[in-house]
Amino acid sequence: MSSFKLQGSEVRIEHSLNKNEEKFRVDRRNTVQQSLQNNGIHCSVDELPNIALLGSGGGERAMVGLLGSLVQLQKADLLDCVLYLSGVSGSTWCMASLYQEPDWSTKLDDVKDKIIQRLGGPAVSWGDSFAKLKKYYYEKDIFSLTDFWAAMVVTTYVKEIDEQPFTEHWGQHSKDPFPIYTVTDKQCKQKKEGDPWFEITPHEAGYSLIGAFVGVSNFGSTFKEGSRIKKQPEIDMLYLQGLCGSALADGEENRKFIWQMIRDFFNHLRSLEEMGKEDPDSHKCLQVLLDLVDMNLSVLEGKDPSALEDSIRTTVDDLSPDKSKLIFPGGKLDVTDKEAAKLYMKQFTLDVCNNLSVRFSFWPFGLCYSICRCMVQWIWGRKYNFLYNMTAEPVPVALLESKTRDYIDAGLLLNSPYFSVLRKERNVDLIISLDFSDGDPFTTVKDAAKTCKERNIPFPEVIIPSDDSEKPKDFYVFKGKNVPTVIHIPLFNVVNCGDKIEDWRKRYGTFQRSLSAEMITDLMEVAGKNITNNKVKVVEEIREIIGQKRSRR
């Protein structure tokens, strides 16, 4: 693809690295070289291997697992060998916690203790989470379920509200690996068109494989023909964690779970003293919204919602100042026809919210309507499209025509961020994949190999012994000619868990909240063993890569 950039454009479409990332790579060489020397490996700057460390998704299990692995990498004097640290979903929660601290890799023991203390400490108060949600609602044009998820749910896992803008402190991280957070373009994923692999770095956000990027501080701003026409607030670290960790954004089976959380949220609102001060009928309005939630839940459960619908219609008609009726006509709802029922509930929910908003437009009802609207339309991670209305031949037309794009957890497509580091211009020689996934611990590496083959991206052949899916070992190496070497390390394996792998998996569920102090300590230890037990093997693979580079010179 040839370089493409309109005169005065703030969008970059080209297969090259951001100049600031290029500078970081050059500056990182001395650190990598010294780390290799400490491990008995001596090589020239030209022979230095580019090493990427990947953390998969897996909720708080992945967050703690990655932290335990990094601590042992630092103790093994291998962390400074790493050029890139890239994560998906739960691993990005660990990354966000680390990069709060300038040069965290130089004081990792202290930073680790701080994170563990926070995770084992008190939860973020409902009031603080609600206040953060209010900011998200008022400060930008587009509200989505990701805002609700970040403020009201992710905070219960990470135990903090990190409002630091993403770009604010990167200048203080000269000693740390370069971070790459990853999400997926939902439309590209569903329609299997364009490039679903989307990365967010301290400098740019954009599509990894087609090479289309915008400055990260402008990610979400309004663009037309490559130029920003309206600034939106820069994403903060809490929202970034919500965006990257929105694993529930892609499944119909998750709608019931989210509706239940919304019901809890509305019930909490009803208990607030200030509710009803502006309008005595506001409690009736909130009750309608609660009934609306229950009606949606009833339909999802295959139950007859007619009693709830009758109650909603009666109350809405009573609350309407001009006695206007709901636009959407009533009718017999057949819950056995799931698609028809889904469409009915979407139209009915939107009509109720639109009707109520005429009278109850004050806080927090606007937020409540937005949550319900986003819910029935299943809107997650919606942002203005920075490629909108550009003339850019290298970019698929579908990415140029839409005003908005939706971004969701990358683990819903591939639960490890391979494609962020497989960009040709990053020239990665060694990928160390830490797999914290639930289920088959080889799905990520096998799917990466399959997709690379389809897209003609250099990647080694992946062959897994049939018995290893249930009883994985702690270290796998895949390599070949003119492809990066891939080290794959499953979290729970026969070496660190013996014959109790399944017990460990059950103990640490993906959506389990608030790990106890004992569970965190045990998980840190298990993850750390995968590094300490295999340091010699990692060093050997690095040495072999350097030998290959030397022989090609």
Side-chain angles (χ1 to χ4, degrees):
M1 185 190 300
S2 60
S3 175
F4 180 92
K5 189 172 182 180
L6 288 173
Q7 187 68 31
S9 172
E10 296 170 80
V11 175
R12 188 173 71 88
I13 301 178
E14 54 189 3
H15 280 302
S16 64
L17 297 179
N18 178 279
K19 63 181 181 180
N20 294 308
E21 183 179 339
E22 286 277 19
K23 183 179 183 303
F24 173 85
R25 288 165 62 99
V26 172
D27 294 343
R28 183 75 173 168
R29 289 174 182 173
N30 290 336
T31 301
V32 174
Q33 192 172 37
Q34 183 59 56
S35 179
L36 292 175
Q37 288 176 3
N38 294 344
N39 283 283
I41 301 175
H42 300 276
C43 64
S44 68
V45 170
D46 292 337
E47 295 164 349
L48 289 174
N50 293 326
I51 301 174
L53 182 69
L54 309 186
S56 80
E60 196 170 350
R61 178 184 63 243
M63 180 183 185
V64 175
L66 178 57
L67 182 61
S69 303
L70 290 168
V71 168
Q72 293 307 318
L73 280 167
Q74 196 271 335
K75 290 181 177 178
D77 212 351
L78 289 172
L79 183 54
D80 282 344
C81 296
V82 175
L83 177 62
Y84 292 107
L85 174 57
S86 187
V88 162
S89 200
S91 284
T92 65
W93 297 354
C94 176
M95 291 169 61
S97 295
L98 292 170
Y99 284 93
Q100 286 180 4
E101 301 284 344
D103 291 338
W104 57 264
S105 59
T106 66
K107 50 187 176 184
L108 188 49
D109 266 342
D110 290 338
V111 174
K112 176 254 301 179
D113 290 343
K114 225 168 135 179
I115 294 172
I116 291 175
Q117 184 178 18
R118 189 187 79 226
L119 292 179
V124 174
S125 72
W126 191 91
D128 287 345
S129 292
F130 183 51
K132 182 59 182 172
L133 184 60
K134 185 175 183 178
K135 285 185 182 180
Y136 283 150
Y137 177 73
Y138 278 117
E139 72 181 6
K140 56 187 178 180
D141 289 355
I142 302 177
F143 180 88
S144 77
L145 290 173
T146 303
D147 297 286
F148 178 79
W149 178 257
M152 305 307 298
V153 182
V154 172
T155 51
T156 67
Y157 287 102
V158 301
K159 302 286 187 69
E160 69 173 348
I161 296 176
D162 186 353
E163 296 188 285
Q164 173 183 304
F166 185 52
T167 59
E168 192 168 285
H169 294 305
W170 170 243
Q172 302 176 47
H173 288 281
S174 60
K175 304 291 178 63
D176 302 321
F178 189 81
I180 308 173
Y181 298 79
T182 58
V183 292
T184 292
D185 181 306
K186 181 179 178 180
Q187 288 89 343
C188 287
K189 171 185 176 293
Q190 290 181 336
K191 298 177 181 178
K192 297 182 179 180
E193 62 184 13
D195 177 9
W197 314 103
F198 196 91
E199 63 181 59
I200 304 170
T201 76
H203 309 300
E204 290 185 321
Y207 295 88
S208 301
L209 299 187
I210 63 173
F213 306 96
V214 69
V216 71
S217 62
N218 284 323
F219 174 47
S221 291
T222 313
F223 278 78
K224 187 176 181 180
E225 297 178 355
S227 294
R228 192 186 76 191
I229 58 177
K230 183 181 179 182
K231 175 69 175 171
Q232 294 289 308
E234 180 181 344
I235 60 174
D236 63 21
M237 295 308 295
L238 176 62
Y239 182 85
L240 181 66
Q241 291 173 88
L243 191 69
C244 293
S246 55
L248 273 71
D250 197 42
E252 291 294 316
E253 66 277 8
N254 297 324
R255 291 178 186 254
K256 181 179 175 181
F257 178 70
I258 303 293
W259 274 121
Q260 287 169 338
M261 287 195 301
I262 293 170
R263 178 170 59 188
D264 291 343
F265 177 76
F266 287 174
N267 271 319
H268 208 123
L269 284 179
R270 186 162 60 175
S271 69
L272 297 179
E273 289 184 9
E274 57 267 27
M275 289 297 294
K277 287 184 179 179
E278 287 201 44
D279 191 317
D281 284 336
S282 61
H283 281 289
K284 290 184 179 179
C285 177
L286 192 54
Q287 185 58 54
V288 169
L289 292 173
L290 279 163
D291 288 345
L292 192 60
V293 171
D294 286 336
M295 186 178 172
N296 275 277
L297 280 167
S298 292
V299 171
L300 288 173
E301 294 168 353
K303 300 176 182 176
D304 180 11
S306 56
L308 285 164
E309 181 174 355
D310 291 344
S311 175
I312 290 168
R313 288 183 178 277
T314 299
T315 308
V316 169
D317 290 346
D318 182 57
L319 289 172
S320 298
D322 58 356
K323 298 301 177 186
S324 62
K325 303 291 184 181
L326 286 172
I327 299 171
F328 188 64
K332 182 64 177 175
L333 176 56
D334 181 6
V335 294
T336 62
D337 186 341
K338 292 185 178 181
E339 283 305 309
K342 179 181 174 182
L343 180 60
Y344 185 98
M345 286 311 306
K346 177 181 177 180
Q347 294 173 328
F348 183 71
T349 300
L350 293 175
D351 190 19
V352 170
C353 289
N354 291 339
N355 187 292
L356 292 175
S357 66
V358 173
R359 179 173 176 187
F360 301 93
S361 57
F362 49 87
W363 178 259
F365 290 104
L367 169 68
C368 296
Y369 308 143
S370 291
I371 290 172
C372 290
R373 289 179 182 123
C374 288
M375 191 62 205
V376 293
Q377 297 175 89
W378 206 236
I379 298 172
W380 290 81
R382 181 158 294 180
K383 295 288 181 188
Y384 286 120
N385 179 17
F386 63 87
L387 296 171
Y388 175 59
N389 214 27
M390 287 188 72
T391 305
E393 291 182 6
V395 179
V397 173
L399 284 172
L400 304 174
E401 292 179 335
S402 59
K403 290 184 178 181
T404 60
R405 307 295 296 181
D406 295 349
Y407 302 100
I408 57 176
D409 193 318
L412 298 167
L413 183 59
L414 180 67
N415 201 31
S416 191
Y418 279 100
F419 292 95
S420 64
V421 300
L422 285 171
R423 283 175 57 185
K424 185 177 181 180
E425 53 271 29
R426 287 197 167 124
N427 194 27
V428 169
D429 303 296
L430 173 63
I431 296 172
I432 303 175
S433 162
L434 303 176
D435 197 284
F436 312 113
S437 304
D438 196 11
D440 186 346
F442 302 104
T443 297
T444 54
V445 69
K446 289 189 291 189
D447 286 354
K450 178 183 176 184
T451 303
C452 284
K453 187 174 182 180
E454 293 169 351
R455 291 178 174 257
N456 295 316
I457 297 171
F459 199 84
E461 186 177 9
V462 173
I463 300 176
I464 309 294
S466 58
D467 294 340
D468 286 24
S469 290
E470 293 300 321
K471 297 181 179 180
K473 301 179 183 66
D474 65 342
F475 193 86
Y476 295 82
V477 181
F478 309 105
K479 47 192 172 183
K481 189 176 182 180
N482 299 322
V483 297
T485 295
V486 175
I487 293 174
H488 185 75
I489 301 177
L491 173 59
F492 301 132
N493 53 73
V494 294
V495 178
N496 62 11
C497 299
D499 60 357
K500 298 186 181 299
I501 293 175
E502 201 54 41
D503 292 342
W504 280 89
R505 289 176 178 170
K506 289 178 181 177
R507 187 183 180 196
Y508 294 94
T510 300
F511 296 108
Q512 180 175 337
R513 295 192 196 180
S514 299
L515 300 181
S516 67
E518 180 184 2
M519 291 177 73
I520 291 172
T521 300
D522 291 349
L523 187 55
M524 291 272 294
E525 184 179 347
V526 166
K529 283 180 181 178
N530 290 330
I531 303 301
T532 54
N533 290 342
N534 294 294
K535 176 186 175 178
V536 173
K537 294 178 184 177
V538 174
V539 171
E540 187 63 32
E541 294 304 324
I542 294 174
R543 198 186 302 274
E544 183 176 326
I545 290 168
I546 291 171
Q548 293 170 356
K549 285 193 162 192
R550 188 170 292 159
S551 66
R552 289 197 294 264
R553 291 181 63 200

